[in-house]
Each structure stands twice: as structure tokens, then as C-alpha cells.
Amino acid sequence: MRGRDAHARFTRFACFDWSGQAVPRPKGLALAITDRDGPPRLVERCWSRADALAWLQDVARSGEPWLIGLDLSPTFPFCDEGAYFPGWSKSPPDARSLWALVEAHCAGDPDLGVSSFLGDPEAARYFRQHGGRLGDRFGARGGGRLRVVEARSRDTGQGLSASCFNLVGAAQVGKSSLTGMRVLDRLNGVLPVWPFDPVPAAGPVLVEIYTTNAARAAGVGGGRSKLRTGCDLDAALVQLGSPAHVPLARYDDHATDALLTAAWLRTVAEDPRYWSPAPLTRSIAATEGWTFGVL
């Protein structure tokens, strides 16, 4: 489906702020939801990744027109080298095969974790991990390889996405991405994920999001993208034309990221530019995907 009419049908919006933390209930996992007109609200619970998967499966079964953002990278870079893992015979040809590869390695890991994949001697060669473990195929670039959308985001000033092959430091996103791949593998054929799947005529859709894009759209600048008070959050929501949020018992940047991004998704869901960014080709869509909101 193309154009404005294809995407005007969404009536409910959600954002999962994701976490790859190797614990049963990561502190960084948060879900916020909203509808077409109401205030964004946090679904306050101690989430596990299994809980998040079950929630997404329930949404898929409901058939309701949700647009759901996941704050993680669904794949690794592919286009720069023509492979996710150059030189490894198991390197998969597309995103779905990548998800299946990670799941096959980690099927026995608890909490949808990914220790088994990162501990595989061949897979480990491509990552920078804690303890000074730098794989010999991590890449010549100091920060690691980037997907097309991540390079595009940096080059145009839309964001500073980190390499998913870097698992060290506060800005690392690799563990979140890998745990997310296990979730996506289990949702394969159950819940459409754009742009790997076309946007269907009805029902829910998942998209990859980067919460900093929502913060920038809401006027959060000056070298910061995180909000940690209710007053700051409501000031940002005003910039998106959103009602004030439903107050929280406790504020942290995971909750506020999710709330602000759910409201932002509502404001941009009907804009055809975000569904057809100029650099996105069929090949990129099949192998690397795209961050919704990056033009």
C-alpha cells in the first residue's frame, strides 16, 4: 500500500524502550501506549522480554490497528560488505535468516538472552565485548560497521546511531538488537515488521524506532535527548500536539523515552515520507531494514 491513505488507518500507538540486559526483568524495558487523541500512558509493570513477546503476540491476535515502535536494531550491517559476517560460512543472506541464526544458537538461553551466540568462537570475531575482547573481524572503523540507515542518520544530522557490533559502553545497542532478533524470529509470520514486510491493509505493524528522533522532533535539544521529570516530558509533548501524560509513580529516561515516542508515532504515522524514504531500496529493506523516522 502506498500514500497517505495506506497509513491513516492506525488508531493505537505504542513504543517499547528495549533492553538487552542479561537479567530476567531488565530495568530498561518499558512500554507506553496511546490512542488517536488521548494522553500517552505507561503500562507500569516489571517487564521481561518474554512478557513483551506475549504482549506483541496478543496484539497480533487481536488484529487491532496498532503502530508499534521497537527501540532496537533488527539487523546488522550488510550492504557495506555484502554480508553480515564476511568470511563466515554461516553468514545468512537476509534479515529473517539472521533472526533464525541467532535463535538457533540461543534457543537454550533463558530470558530470551543471547550469551550463546556471543560466546560462539566464530560469531565473537565480529564483536567488541567487555574485558578487552575485540574480534579480529570487528572492522577497521574505530566504532564498528554501520547500516545504511545509521550512516544516513549520521551524515544528515538526524542522529548518532552506534554500531550493533559494539557491545561496550553506555551507547552500545548490540545486546538489545540481538535479544530483539530472537523476539522478531518468534513473531515472523505473526506480526508484520516494516520494511521487511509490506504494510498490510489492516491490523498491527511493527517498526524500528530511535527514540532520539522523537526527542528532536519534540524540541529536546541543547546536547540532550533524555527527559527525567514529568514537567519536562509534558513540555515536549506540547510540541507534538499531545495532551499531557498520565503521571507516573517514578520517572526515568526509559519511561519518558517510551511515552514521548508513542506520542511522536501518532504525529508522523500518516506522513508518506516516513514510509518511503528515498534511500530505501528493496535490497536494503530485505537485509538491513530501516529506522522509521529517518529520511
Side-chain angles (χ1 to χ4, degrees):
M1 301 183 68
R2 299 180 182 276
R4 181 181 179 86
D5 291 342
H7 315 297
R9 62 176 182 78
F10 295 112
T11 60
R12 307 193 76 181
F13 307 87
C15 173
F16 263 115
D17 198 38
W18 203 256
S19 173
Q21 188 181 14
V23 297
R25 298 187 179 275
K27 293 180 179 179
L29 192 56
L31 172 65
I33 62 175
T34 191
D35 56 25
R36 272 201 174 276
D37 303 303
R41 67 179 183 87
L42 194 72
V43 181
E44 297 200 60
R45 64 183 292 182
C46 294
W47 289 90
S48 68
R49 283 182 287 269
D51 292 336
L53 172 61
W55 187 89
L56 291 166
Q57 290 169 328
D58 285 344
V59 166
R61 283 190 289 268
S62 77
E64 293 185 38
W66 286 88
L67 178 59
I68 306 162
L70 296 183
D71 184 24
L72 55 88
S73 171
T75 70
F76 293 118
F78 183 98
C79 297
D80 61 339
E81 299 282 352
Y84 298 115
F85 309 108
W88 187 15
S89 61
K90 290 186 178 181
S91 187
D94 55 37
R96 286 186 174 83
S97 301
L98 173 62
W99 304 341
L101 175 71
V102 174
E103 176 63 23
H105 273 72
C106 302
D109 288 10
D111 309 315
L112 290 173
V114 291
S115 297
S116 293
F117 185 78
L118 293 173
D120 180 277
E122 284 299 316
R125 298 178 69 182
Y126 298 86
F127 293 90
R128 172 185 282 155
Q129 303 191 52
H130 288 283
R133 291 174 293 165
L134 179 64
D136 63 305
R137 290 178 171 170
F138 177 71
R141 303 179 189 88
R145 294 165 56 202
L146 298 174
R147 296 155 63 209
V148 171
V149 69
E150 293 157 356
R152 170 78 173 180
S153 185
R154 287 188 173 208
D155 292 345
T156 58
Q158 296 179 72
L160 293 174
S161 300
S163 171
C164 296
F165 287 117
N166 179 27
L167 307 181
V168 179
Q172 70 87 15
V173 295
K175 291 181 181 177
S176 291
S177 299
L178 282 162
T179 58
M181 290 176 201
R182 293 196 64 187
V183 170
L184 292 174
D185 182 68
R186 296 182 183 208
L187 293 172
N188 191 13
V190 175
L191 186 56
V193 183
W194 177 89
F196 309 103
D197 299 300
V199 178
V205 176
L206 277 178
V207 295
E208 172 200 353
I209 51 87
Y210 180 35
T211 56
T212 297
N213 289 342
R216 294 289 178 258
V220 181
R224 68 188 182 107
S225 63
K226 301 298 182 183
L227 304 170
R228 294 182 174 86
T229 71
C231 290
D232 286 347
L233 175 59
D234 281 340
L237 288 169
V238 166
Q239 299 300 311
L240 298 177
S242 172
H245 71 289
V246 175
L248 308 180
R250 182 178 65 85
Y251 288 85
D252 60 39
D253 57 315
H254 305 295
T256 57
D257 277 353
L259 286 160
L260 188 64
T261 306
W264 170 78
L265 279 172
R266 175 171 56 190
T267 69
V268 299
E270 297 182 19
D271 189 333
R273 295 179 303 160
Y274 292 104
W275 297 98
S276 301
L280 180 60
T281 64
R282 289 184 180 180
S283 176
I284 294 172
T287 56
E288 292 194 353
W290 198 263
T291 310
F292 187 78
V294 175
L295 298 175

